[in-house]
Every structure is written in structure tokens, then in C-alpha cells.
Amino acid sequence: MERSKGAKRRSSSRRQSGHTQKRKSLSSSESAGPAKRPRDLRSPTDLDVVLDAFQEFVTQYKQTVNSDAVRRSIDAVSRSFEEQISEMITATKELKSVKRENNKINRDANQKRTRLVEASYELIKAKTNLSDLQKAHDEMELRLRSLREGSSLLSSLRELNMKYLKHRTDHPDEVETYGPSCMPAMLMEARCIMGTEHQLKTVNDSLQQVLDEAEHQ
């Protein structure tokens, strides 16, 4: 009976020490407060400042509270509040990121639109220049064709003249005859003869006038 009573007392003392250690660990974990989620503080917002101030306030306030139940309630409320604030911070940062991307897309679109308008103006200008160049090209083609025809005509006349001179040299006693094809040349020669005759007549009249004036004197 005494041995059994001693074993019961030892087991009850071990259970009491175990409960005491659990309460100590629980109180230490509660005093430490809820675990803070890692946050990106490279670009803090107003909500980040609010969350830091709230966590600091909760930590200071819990130090003034002795009741474990009150501490657990404070931890639950602060944890819920911190989760809501963290979600709002994440949503705010995502919204800012979306706005930045949207601004970048709009800026790129505006640049491309401006470049498209400039390209349209350049295309219209290029079409106008192409039309002017095509007109100048047609004129140059016409002049080149005329020059080629004139050069071909001069070559033919030179060749014909050389043949004529050679024929006259080979047959100096042959009498020249004119056919219908020689009419333009004959007209030109007649015009030259008539021009010379007119000039001689003018000179003769002038000399006759001078002689008449000399006789009257």
C-alpha cells in the first residue's frame, strides 16, 4: 500500500510538471505574438507603415496584459487584421504593377502610332517624288529617242555625202540629174540663190543711188 501510494504521488508530480512546462511554452509563444509574414519593403506603401505601427502597438500593449486568455484574443484579432492589411498591400502593389505595365504599353502604342503617321507622310512624299521622277524619266526618254534619231539621220547623211563625193570623184564628167527625192535640197539651193540675188540687187541699188547723187553735184 505504501509503495503504491508513493508511485501515485510520483506520477501526479510528473503530470503537474508537464502541465507547467506546457503552460510556460504556451505563454512564451503568446508573448512573442503571431508570426510576421515576410514582406517586400523595397517600395513601402502607406499600408506598410500602418501595419508596422500596428504590430509595434500590439507588442507593447501585450506587455501590459497578464491574462493568457486576453493575450490569445489579442493575437487572434491582430492576426486577422494583419492578414487583411497584407492582402490589401499585395493587391495595392499588384495594381501599381498593372498600372505601370499599362502605362508602358500605352507609351509604346503612342510611339508606334506616331511612327506610323510619320511613315504615312513619308510614303505620300515618296509617291509624289516618284511621280515627279517618272515624269522626268519620260521626258529624258523622249529626248534620248530624239537624239538617237537625229544621230542616226546625221550618220546617214554623212554616209550619203561620202558616197556622193566618191561618185563625183570617180565620174567627174557625168552630168548631175535630180529626181523627186532631191526636191528638198533643190529648194534649199534655190532659196540660197534667191537670197544671194536679193542681196546683189540691194547692193546695186545702193551704188546707183550714190552715182546719181554724184552726177547732180
Side-chain angles (χ1 to χ4, degrees):
M1 292 288 292
E2 291 176 357
R3 284 196 298 273
S4 62
K5 289 179 179 180
K8 288 179 180 181
R9 284 196 296 273
R10 287 192 296 274
S11 62
S12 63
S13 63
R14 284 197 297 272
R15 283 196 298 271
Q16 289 176 359
S17 63
H19 289 311
T20 303
Q21 291 177 356
K22 287 181 180 179
R23 284 196 296 273
K24 288 181 180 180
S25 62
L26 181 61
S27 62
S28 63
S29 64
E30 290 174 353
S31 61
K36 296 181 180 180
R37 293 184 178 182
R39 289 181 291 128
D40 186 9
L41 297 179
R42 288 176 296 181
S43 57
T45 61
D46 295 339
L47 294 176
D48 288 317
V49 178
V50 171
L51 183 58
D52 292 336
F54 175 76
Q55 290 175 346
E56 184 178 0
F57 169 76
V58 170
T59 302
Q60 293 178 357
Y61 180 73
K62 283 174 61 178
Q63 293 177 358
T64 63
V65 177
N66 296 324
S67 174
D68 295 339
V70 175
R71 288 184 176 180
R72 285 194 295 272
S73 299
I74 292 171
D75 289 338
V77 173
S78 64
R79 187 180 300 109
S80 176
F81 181 76
E82 289 177 3
E83 288 178 354
Q84 293 179 4
I85 294 295
S86 298
E87 291 177 358
M88 292 176 65
I89 291 172
T90 303
T92 301
K93 291 184 176 180
E94 289 179 354
L95 180 60
K96 287 183 178 180
S97 178
V98 171
K99 286 183 177 179
R100 284 195 300 269
E101 292 295 331
N102 190 24
N103 292 332
K104 183 179 179 181
I105 292 172
N106 290 333
R107 186 168 56 253
D108 294 339
N110 291 332
Q111 290 178 356
K112 291 180 179 179
R113 190 180 298 108
T114 303
R115 181 56 186 160
L116 181 61
V117 173
E118 292 177 354
S120 299
Y121 289 153
E122 291 177 359
L123 180 60
I124 294 172
K125 186 177 180 181
K127 286 182 178 180
T128 304
N129 294 333
L130 180 60
S131 178
D132 295 338
L133 290 174
Q134 185 65 38
K135 185 177 180 181
H137 179 266
D138 294 339
E139 292 179 356
M140 294 298 294
E141 284 287 341
L142 182 60
R143 291 182 181 180
L144 181 60
R145 190 180 303 112
S146 299
L147 288 174
R148 286 176 177 173
E149 291 175 356
S151 177
S152 177
L153 178 61
L154 291 176
S155 298
S156 299
L157 290 175
R158 187 182 299 109
E159 184 179 358
L160 182 62
N161 189 30
M162 291 176 65
K163 289 182 178 179
Y164 171 75
L165 293 176
K166 185 177 184 300
H167 180 77
R168 294 299 298 168
T169 303
D170 295 339
H171 306 82
D173 298 333
E174 185 177 353
V175 180
E176 292 184 356
T177 58
Y178 298 95
S181 61
C182 299
M183 289 300 295
M186 293 174 66
L187 289 174
M188 290 297 296
E189 187 176 356
R191 182 180 298 177
C192 293
I193 293 172
M194 290 176 65
T196 304
E197 182 180 358
H198 179 71
Q199 290 178 0
L200 291 173
K201 183 179 180 181
T202 303
V203 172
N204 190 15
D205 292 340
S206 299
L207 290 174
Q208 186 65 37
Q209 184 178 1
V210 171
L211 292 173
D212 292 340
E213 290 177 357
E215 288 179 357
H216 290 299
Q217 291 177 0

